[in-house]
Amino acid sequence: MNKTVTLQLKCIYCGESFMDPSHKVDGYPGIKLKARTGDITGIVWLSSVLGSPKFESEVEFTKKVVARFSCPNCSAELTSTQTCDMCGALMARFKLSDGGKVRVCCRSGCKNVWLEL
Ligand SMILES: [Zn+2]
Ligand SMILES: [Zn+2]
């Protein structure tokens, strides 16, 4: 059995945890974020399992669409100026609960993750 690595993420601005134990994805607490694409805004739950492209959302997002993520608590934009080296979309920036930082690709289904430890 493979060891599952999960990410515990929080907002780089207000420090609020994004982990939502009441909404599990892949069997672990989901990463709850506000997502916007075009004029659609909704809550998404990303999988906290490292490398898993799985996510759930309350609204239907087109596959491969690039979303802009913001904090559900303070509404700050989490999108960074860095682009994904796999698909060219913008990446969002998060803080890990143990102090490091992580960048996640904003394109649904890409799930390119960079750890900045
Ligand atoms: Zn925040
Ligand atoms: Zn990407």
Side-chain angles (χ1 to χ4, degrees), residues 7-33:
L7 300 169
Q8 306 286 319
L9 303 184
K10 55 186 187 177
C11 179
I12 53 173
Y13 299 101
C14 70
E16 186 76 14
S17 173
F18 293 139
M19 309 318 292
D20 185 357
S22 63
H23 192 114
K24 291 195 165 70
V25 184
D26 281 335
Y28 293 91
I31 300 164
K32 186 182 180 183
L33 299 169

Side-chain angles (χ1 to χ4, degrees), residues 49-94:
V49 176
L50 188 62
S52 169
K54 206 168 161 184
F55 72 98
E56 289 171 14
S57 58
E58 56 174 21
V59 288
E60 199 67 44
F61 287 110
T62 328
K63 269 212 171 70
K64 303 286 177 195
V65 82
V66 180
R68 296 190 83 89
F69 294 122
S70 57
C71 173
N73 185 50
C74 71
S75 295
E77 273 256 359
L78 301 166
T79 310
S80 74
T81 50
Q82 232 88 28
T83 51
C84 173
D85 62 350
M86 286 168 75
C87 74
L90 286 172
M91 298 187 89
R93 215 146 172 258
F94 305 99

